[in-house]
């Protein structure tokens, strides 16, 4: 089944060129099924890139997905055109009475700030609490995953001595988890962050299951079953060139910026990097969507009680 997004969303043309089936509103209403309703609270600066990356993964699943793009209500994006935000994004305040089968919150370039110093921290905390009564399952990425575990459990984040950047090998620790179905024992994941959560802090809280981690960059994926949330600290959704774009952006400001590890061929930033994680991204997001489909009530109004 395809993904249903606005006809004029820039992601549509990109996805159609890649062979992802994108559905028009008029075609969707003719199908006698209920699509899975997925909300995307996009906190990334370049919202167009991020919405395209995630829509690509949702559109590859065998179910019809209705994607709703959301933003923090009182925060003005400085890196995405205002007309794009006005045309395609709804403030979270506008959907507070609505329900979603799935809800994704992205990372944000604020991870080196204390949580309480982030200008929209109070609203994000309200969003986390709202998901417990209006969302069936959540998927939090990078800083949002750290923020969720801090909000619900008080788990602290720790600043790294240098940025963790590259494509690192990870171990599957819970092959029986529905989210890890089909994963190899070892698999690669892009990493791009200045902070981390530590295993010892997480293990103090019963019910948090560590699904994957790396010997070099630590925790990667946690299942918070109590809050029906999947916490991903890294970036399987990244495009092939995202780490390259980040490196060239940062090295233009600081020529001493280290290369992303295990990424550029022969550590040559002028050579195009291979994508070694695309299959893992589709597998994880497909498993998450399938778990929603298997467990969500048919009537959206029943989600609060599910």
């Amino acid at each position: 089944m395809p993904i249903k997004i606005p006809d004029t969303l820039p992601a549509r043309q990109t996805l159609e060129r890649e062979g992802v089936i994108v559905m028009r509103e008029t075609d969707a209403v003719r199908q006698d099924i209920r699509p899975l309703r997925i909300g995307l609270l996009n906190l990334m600066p370049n919202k167009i890139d991020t919405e395209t990356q995630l829509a690509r993964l949702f559109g590859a699943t065998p179910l019809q997905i209705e994607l709703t793009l959301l933003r923090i209500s009182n925060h003005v994006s400085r890196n995405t055109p205002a007309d794009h935000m006005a045309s395609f994004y709804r403030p979270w305040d506008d959907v507070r009475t609505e329900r979603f089968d799935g809800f994704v919150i992205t990372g944000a370039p604020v991870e080196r700030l204390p949580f309480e110093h982030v200008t929209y921290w109070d609203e994000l905390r309200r969003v986390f609490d709202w998901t417990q009564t209006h969302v069936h399952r959540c998927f939090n990425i990078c800083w949002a995953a750290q923020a969720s575990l801090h909000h619900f459990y008080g788990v602290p984040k720790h600043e790294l001595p240098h940025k963790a950047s590259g494509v690192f090998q990870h171990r599957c620790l819970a092959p029986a988890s529905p989210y890890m179905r089909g994963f190899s024992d070892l698999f690669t994941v892009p990493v791009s962050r200045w902070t981390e959560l530590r295993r010892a802090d997480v293990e103090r809280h019963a019910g948090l299951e560590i699904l994957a981690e790396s010997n070099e960059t630590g925790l990667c994926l946690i299942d918070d079953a109590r809050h029906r949330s999947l916490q991903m600290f890294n970036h399987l959704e990244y495009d092939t060139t995202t780490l390259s774009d980040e490196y060239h952006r940062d090295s233009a400001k600081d020529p001493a910026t280290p290369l992303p590890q295990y990424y550029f061929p022969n550590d040559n930033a002028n050579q195009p990097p291979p994508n070694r994680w695309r299959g893992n991204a589709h597998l994880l997001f497909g498993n998450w969507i399938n778990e929603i489909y298997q467990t969500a009530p048919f009537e959206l109004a029943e989600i609060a009680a599910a």
Side-chain angles (χ1 to χ4, degrees):
M1 288 291 178
I3 183 171
K4 182 163 73 73
I5 56 178
D7 290 348
T8 55
L9 188 72
R12 172 179 285 272
Q13 291 185 356
T14 301
L15 300 181
E16 288 177 337
R17 284 196 302 269
E18 296 174 0
V20 177
I21 303 173
V22 185
M23 175 170 275
R24 296 180 302 171
E25 178 72 28
T26 53
D27 295 328
V29 297
R30 287 202 297 265
Q31 293 193 345
D32 190 22
I33 59 175
R34 181 176 84 74
L36 290 182
R37 191 161 191 239
I38 305 296
L40 170 58
L41 182 60
N42 192 350
L43 306 178
M44 292 294 280
N46 190 331
K47 292 182 172 24
I48 295 175
D49 283 355
T50 302
E51 69 202 26
T52 302
Q53 292 166 2
L54 292 166
R56 176 185 296 119
L57 297 170
F58 297 142
T61 60
L63 302 169
Q64 186 186 132
I65 305 294
E66 179 183 294
L67 184 62
T68 301
L69 299 176
L70 301 166
R71 61 174 175 82
I72 291 292
S73 301
N74 298 313
H75 181 74
V76 178
S77 176
R78 294 177 295 178
N79 298 280
T80 302
D83 59 346
H84 182 86
M85 299 301 297
S87 297
F88 302 114
Y89 279 77
R90 300 173 63 188
W92 172 71
D93 275 340
D94 282 5
V95 304
R96 294 178 67 172
T97 61
E98 301 179 20
R99 287 172 167 78
F100 294 85
D101 298 291
F103 201 79
V104 178
I105 307 178
T106 72
V110 295
E111 59 178 317
R112 301 176 85 174
L113 292 174
F115 292 114
E116 294 76 13
H117 291 184
V118 175
T119 56
Y120 49 81
W121 177 243
D122 288 343
E123 180 170 349
L124 186 61
R125 293 183 65 194
R126 292 194 295 272
V127 172
F128 285 140
D129 290 338
W130 166 85
T131 64
Q132 300 306 289
T133 54
H134 289 73
V135 173
H136 183 57
R137 293 194 185 275
C138 298
F139 194 132
N140 300 312
I141 299 173
C142 200
W143 179 80
Q146 297 179 349
S148 175
L149 291 175
H150 181 71
H151 172 67
F152 287 117
Y153 296 96
V155 177
K157 63 182 172 72
H158 303 271
E159 186 158 352
L160 297 168
H162 52 79
K163 184 179 183 180
S165 176
V167 181
F168 294 88
Q169 184 170 272
H170 288 70
R171 291 176 288 121
C172 174
L173 302 180
S177 166
Y179 301 115
M180 302 306 292
R181 188 179 295 116
F183 270 86
S184 300
D185 295 338
L186 300 174
F187 60 98
T188 54
V189 182
V191 177
S192 179
R193 50 183 165 81
W194 286 95
T195 57
E196 67 175 359
L197 266 59
R198 294 176 181 168
R199 174 182 270 270
D201 295 327
V202 169
E203 288 178 333
R204 293 190 179 99
H205 302 280
L208 293 178
E209 182 181 12
I210 300 171
L211 304 183
E213 70 177 342
S214 165
N215 291 337
E216 294 181 84
T217 58
L219 299 176
C220 173
L221 189 65
I222 289 177
D223 181 10
D224 178 7
R226 175 182 170 188
H227 298 100
R228 304 185 308 281
S229 294
L230 197 58
Q231 315 289 4
M232 163 58 81
F233 303 117
N234 302 320
H235 291 282
L236 276 174
E237 81 282 1
Y238 267 8
D239 288 328
T240 302
T241 61
T242 302
L243 287 174
S244 176
D245 295 339
E246 291 180 356
Y247 167 73
H248 288 294
R249 176 201 66 199
D250 295 342
S251 62
K253 301 175 184 176
D254 179 6
T257 299
L259 287 168
Q261 293 182 263
Y262 316 117
Y263 178 59
F264 290 113
N266 304 312
D267 282 339
N268 184 342
N270 295 316
Q271 292 190 20
N275 189 309
R276 295 183 283 114
W277 62 90
R278 184 181 295 114
N280 301 327
H282 283 283
L283 187 54
L284 180 61
F285 278 83
N287 285 345
W288 182 67
I289 291 291
N290 182 63
E291 189 66 9
I292 292 174
Y293 176 72
Q294 297 293 335
T295 59
F298 183 80
E299 297 294 338
L300 279 168
E302 296 177 6
I303 281 180

